[in-house]
Amino acid sequence: MKSTQELFKTNPSLLDEPEVAQILDYFEQLQDEIVEFKFQKTNNKELAMLDMLKEVIKCCNAIQK
């Protein structure tokens, strides 16, 4: 999944728009639901946490580049 910085790197001023803020809030809610779904599907917190850590590492690497 791409981070918000990746999505708006060509036009960061869009982040100030109210419609974009609403979309980003919805995006965050969906991410939370995905994590909950993965946990319910596997019934294993470790797998859900590993997925989240992989996403964090991927985002950090993208920011670093």
Side-chain angles (χ1 to χ4, degrees), residues 2-62:
K2 291 187 175 185
S3 68
T4 54
Q5 285 116 357
E6 287 177 304
L7 293 172
F8 294 98
K9 69 180 173 185
T10 58
N11 197 351
S13 64
L14 287 175
L15 291 170
D16 297 331
E17 296 294 326
E19 292 86 1
V20 174
Q22 288 177 333
I23 291 171
L24 291 177
D25 287 341
Y26 182 63
F27 178 70
E28 289 176 10
Q29 289 174 359
L30 289 177
Q31 285 180 321
D32 292 342
E33 288 178 22
I34 288 171
V35 170
E36 287 178 28
F37 175 74
K38 285 181 180 178
F39 172 68
Q40 289 173 355
K41 183 179 171 187
T42 62
N43 202 18
N44 187 342
K45 287 182 182 179
E46 289 178 16
L47 291 177
M49 293 298 285
L50 281 173
D51 283 346
M52 289 191 307
L53 284 172
K54 287 177 187 176
E55 288 296 321
V56 168
I57 290 169
K58 190 164 74 171
C59 290
C60 289
N61 288 334

